Amino acid sequence: MKIFHFIIFIFTLVLPGIIHAQGKNVSTESWITSPGILGTIVLITIVLVVAIIIFLTHINSYLDAIKKRQEVKTRTAFDDELVALEESHIDTILEKRKAALHYKLKGNELSGDNEVFDKKGLIQKITNDPNNAYFDEKKKTSLSLETPEPLKKIVIYYIGAAICWLVLGTLIGQYLGMKFIWPEMDNQSWLSFGRLRPVHTNMVFWGWSSLAMIGLGYFVIARTSNTIIHSYKWAWRAWILINSSVILGSIFLMAGINNGSGEYREYIWPVMLLFAIALVITFFNFYKTVAHRKISEIYISNWFILASLVWTIVLAIIGYLPFYQNGLGETVIQGYYMHQGVGMWFMTFTLGLVYYYLPSALNKPIYSYSLGVLAFWTQMLFYTMIGTHHFVFSPLPWWLQTTAIVFSAGMFIPVVAGTTNFLMTMKGSWSHISKSYVLPFFLVGTLFYFVGSTQGSFQAFRFTNYVWHFTDFNVAHSHMTMYGIIAFFLWAAIYAILPKLTGKEPPQVLVGAHFWMAFIGLFAYMVSLMVGGTYKGLSWIEGNAFIESVILMKPYWVWRAIGGSLMFTSHLIFAYNFYYIVKNRKQVLVSEATKPVEEITV
């Protein structure tokens, strides 16, 4: 009943804006005061404020380190001075120090009716919240988990292949971004924008994100089930199939051979079939591992991971079967496929990873299991019906467009539930921000989960659709979600688990360089395209020639290229960090209690 009241409360907040957006006559007067645009500005401001806080925290930590080094130098100088003193002077100093160490309080210095005064300077900090819990970060040690060596290899190889596709895929993306400024860079057909753009998107989708998610998922499934993976052989077969799919798909796309339909399904069906088979194998492997678990409960991470695999297998079938994709039917399927691919595969799977790796990194339980369940089921409910909001003002039925807008607003519920759960789990552990970059990666991922998803709901409203649709703003939004949420969460999980599996930690300065270059690059990328995309949409609405909108975008495309360059450089640093972690990794022996049981691997 409480959940029902909560849902009604959320819809009461957002419904007036939705109803306001239903009118078919759209006016752009006072466009900047539109709820969707104002909300987007507020969300971007939140991102900037959090970035400043993280930056100042690390600067403060750096200054503290300098101060401590100065104190060490001061003590060293005192020791040197002490050596030069005469014996009588040394005795005097030691007697004074001994008296100070034996000083005892009488017990009434800070109590009774007397005026409070700390004449000895004993109090360092005062708090009125004794229940406030602070979690001190674990010291850097050679961490090792009792993890079977075959599982370690699976995790490392999946992540390693994913990083290769990340570097290659974003190199292509960087090249495409520069072609906006210098379109005459080449005249080869296989290097044209129309062929390379789907190579870039599919490579980072099915190569980088998917392989990294599955590799991290294998560890979560085994760890939360307190058992070993059902079949390591099937895991390797899926690895081969996914990589083969990306390789063949990229070659075909560059040769001009494609599916000829919608975004993110440009691979021809025989190529995508390899990926679909890999998903079926992965689901079967995960399911059998959970079925053989040594504990009665199924952890919330496994709910998200298994559900994402089921949905994506169904999605691949719906997206590629041709029987019902004629005319507007294909448009409906495209919206469904595109949004389900992002929301039910990447988002759902990655959230499942966060529910394990975030509390594991902080050495504390997730804040609320109930919020996790609420987020899971509302994600399953609302996300399945929002694809049509990409085709507002299209020939599709008006009621179908309205349904998509309403369900897009409903996405506030799982987003707020998940964000609250993650932030409350981090509560009391903010000291990690200054000591390690694992928590900042998680924090930025959580921040963009709220900001990107909420901004997507704002963008679904009819007025904001009217201004932003078909402009560069959509490119900014997609990077805000797929990069700001998925990539940052994956990086956080990788940095959290790999050092524990290998016994080697990367240099914090390089992890910091990766974080800041990726974050600043993304911020420059998305803000420039958001501003430029807004002006482009308004230019179209005013009836200006199309070429004018192209000309006005040039300075924003320059900033897009600058941001993309920072992002790509951060990926090179990340690749080196991965190499540093896994090179000459320490062989950690598995205890007898956790050695694989042959009967389970059959």
Side-chain angles (χ1 to χ4, degrees):
M1 198 66 181
K2 290 182 179 180
I3 294 177
F4 175 76
H5 288 159
F6 179 68
I7 293 173
I8 294 298
F9 172 72
I10 292 295
F11 270 96
T12 302
L13 292 178
V14 302
L15 198 56
I18 298 173
I19 295 174
H20 176 72
Q22 301 312 302
K24 297 186 180 183
N25 296 322
V26 180
S27 173
T28 57
E29 293 182 8
S30 303
W31 60 271
I32 200 168
T33 60
S34 166
I37 292 180
L38 275 179
T40 299
I41 294 173
V42 171
L43 293 172
I44 298 303
T45 304
I46 293 174
V47 174
L48 182 61
V49 170
V50 172
I52 293 173
I53 292 173
I54 295 175
F55 177 76
L56 292 178
T57 302
H58 276 278
I59 289 295
N60 185 61
S61 176
Y62 177 72
L63 294 177
D64 287 343
I66 294 177
K67 182 179 179 181
K68 289 180 181 179
R69 285 197 294 268
Q70 187 62 40
E71 290 176 353
V72 171
K73 289 182 180 179
T74 303
R75 287 197 298 267
T76 303
F78 173 75
D79 293 341
D80 294 341
E81 182 181 354
L82 193 63
V83 171
L85 290 177
E86 296 180 0
E87 183 177 354
S88 58
H89 290 165
I90 296 176
D91 290 340
T92 302
I93 292 174
L94 293 178
E95 288 296 331
K96 290 181 179 180
R97 179 59 180 164
K98 185 176 180 180
L101 292 175
H102 284 81
Y103 176 80
K104 293 184 179 180
L105 294 173
K106 296 179 181 179
N108 63 352
E109 284 81 358
L110 299 177
S111 64
D113 298 328
N114 298 328
E115 182 180 357
V116 177
F117 180 69
D118 181 22
K119 65 179 180 179
K120 296 294 183 181
L122 301 175
I123 298 176
Q124 300 295 323
K125 183 177 181 180
I126 297 176
T127 178
N128 295 317
D129 185 12
N131 295 321
N132 187 22
Y134 290 92
F135 177 81
D136 293 328
E137 183 184 32
K138 294 172 285 186
K139 299 297 182 182
K140 287 185 178 180
T141 57
S142 178
L143 298 173
S144 63
L145 295 175
E146 294 179 339
T147 305
E149 189 64 24
L151 178 57
K152 289 184 183 181
K153 288 183 178 180
I154 287 174
V155 175
I156 290 172
Y157 273 79
Y158 267 85
I159 294 175
I163 293 173
C164 290
W165 293 123
L166 172 67
V167 173
L168 182 57
T170 51
L171 174 62
I172 296 172
Q174 173 67 9
Y175 182 74
L176 292 172
M178 296 175 71
K179 290 188 74 169
F180 277 92
I181 307 171
W182 300 293
E184 69 283 356
M185 286 178 65
D186 65 76
N187 55 8
Q188 301 295 323
S189 59
W190 58 278
L191 291 177
S192 64
F193 186 90
R195 294 192 186 183
L196 282 184
R197 199 268 178 175
V199 173
H200 161 67
T201 55
N202 285 275
M203 193 174 286
V204 295
F205 272 33
W206 315 126
W208 148 243
S209 299
S210 298
L211 280 170
M213 291 185 327
I214 294 173
L216 292 167
Y218 267 109
F219 183 84
V220 173
I221 290 289
R223 196 72 177 173
T224 57
S225 300
N226 195 25
T227 186
I228 64 171
I229 296 301
H230 172 71
S231 173
Y232 295 121
K233 290 182 179 179
W234 284 110
W236 287 113
R237 289 168 183 168
W239 184 87
I240 293 171
L241 287 171
I242 293 175
N243 284 287
S244 300
S245 174
V246 178
I247 293 172
L248 293 174
S250 300
I251 293 174
F252 281 129
L253 288 177
M254 295 181 74
I257 303 172
N258 56 68
N259 192 39
S261 57
E263 196 171 22
Y264 309 144
R265 52 176 176 163
E266 292 92 349
Y267 285 174
I268 58 176
W269 71 262
V271 172
M272 202 60 184
L273 180 62
L274 299 178
F275 187 86
I277 294 173
L279 290 187
V280 173
I281 292 173
T282 303
F283 171 74
F284 180 77
N285 222 1
F286 283 4
Y287 174 78
K288 294 294 287 185
T289 302
V290 174
H292 287 113
R293 66 189 183 278
K294 301 292 182 63
I295 55 178
S296 59
E297 296 84 3
I298 298 179
Y299 188 61
I300 189 67
S301 288
N302 299 342
W303 286 37
F304 280 88
I305 292 173
L306 292 176
S308 68
L309 284 163
V310 172
W311 273 108
T312 309
I313 292 169
V314 174
L315 177 64
I317 296 173
I318 294 175
Y320 273 82
L321 287 181
F323 313 125
Y324 38 77
Q325 299 193 41
N326 296 315
L328 290 178
E330 188 197 9
T331 303
V332 176
I333 294 299
Q334 171 56 26
Y336 176 80
Y337 177 90
M338 180 169 52
H339 235 292
Q340 290 286 91
V342 174
M344 302 306 286
W345 173 232
F346 297 109
M347 193 70 71
T348 302
F349 198 117
T350 303
L351 290 176
L353 297 177
V354 176
Y355 272 100
Y356 173 81
Y357 285 107
L358 175 60
S360 173
L362 299 177
N363 198 26
K364 58 166 62 172
I366 196 71
Y367 171 72
S368 172
Y369 190 85
S370 298
L371 275 178
V373 174
L374 173 65
F376 175 82
W377 286 113
T378 49
Q379 174 104 351
M380 298 300 106
L381 171 63
F382 290 113
Y383 220 112
T384 55
M385 295 293 291
I386 67 178
T388 313
H389 74 207
H390 285 275
F391 302 104
V392 175
F393 299 112
S394 72
L396 295 181
W398 195 257
W399 66 264
L400 185 59
Q401 300 176 38
T402 303
T403 300
I405 295 172
V406 172
F407 274 72
S408 298
M411 280 300 298
F412 283 119
I413 299 174
V415 169
V416 171
T419 302
T420 302
N421 220 359
F422 298 153
L423 290 178
M424 293 303 292
T425 302
M426 297 178 198
K427 182 182 178 182
S429 301
W430 299 116
S431 61
H432 284 242
I433 291 180
S434 62
K435 298 177 182 178
S436 167
Y437 274 100
V438 172
L439 184 60
F441 273 108
F442 275 121
L443 179 59
V444 169
T446 302
L447 175 67
F448 274 109
Y449 175 53
F450 174 75
V451 170
S453 301
T454 303
Q455 191 276 320
S457 296
F458 287 151
Q459 195 170 338
F461 295 166
R462 283 202 168 91
F463 177 80
T464 46
N465 239 287
Y466 187 61
V467 176
W468 288 333
H469 199 38
F470 299 123
T471 70
D472 295 67
F473 194 100
N474 293 284
V475 181
H477 173 72
S478 65
H479 282 75
M480 186 192 301
T481 52
M482 281 301 299
Y483 196 90
I485 304 173
I486 306 303
F488 270 85
F489 273 150
L490 292 178
W491 288 328
I494 290 170
Y495 281 128
I497 193 59
L498 272 189
K500 297 179 182 179
L501 295 180
T502 65
K504 291 182 63 180
E505 293 187 357
Q508 279 293 302
V509 65
L510 291 181
V511 181
H514 171 203
F515 173 84
W516 285 111
M517 294 186 79
F519 184 87
I520 295 173
L522 173 61
F523 193 82
Y525 188 104
M526 70 181 194
V527 170
S528 61
L529 292 187
M530 282 181 169
V531 175
T534 302
Y535 284 129
K536 176 186 277 189
L538 293 173
S539 175
W540 292 349
I541 292 171
E542 291 172 1
N544 297 327
F546 179 80
I547 191 62
E548 292 188 17
S549 68
V550 176
I551 295 172
L552 72 83
M553 280 299 300
K554 185 174 181 179
Y556 303 105
W557 284 336
V558 171
W559 278 105
R560 167 187 176 145
I562 294 173
S565 299
L566 291 173
M567 294 155 70
F568 176 67
T569 305
S570 76
H571 303 160
L572 297 178
I573 298 173
F574 171 54
Y576 175 79
N577 288 341
F578 171 80
Y579 172 76
Y580 183 91
I581 295 172
V582 300
K583 181 186 178 183
N584 300 325
R585 62 189 181 93
K586 300 176 182 179
Q587 297 292 325
V588 182
L589 296 178
V590 183
S591 68
E592 293 294 330
T594 58
K595 283 186 176 179
V597 181
E598 293 298 330
E599 289 78 9
I600 298 179
T601 62
V602 175

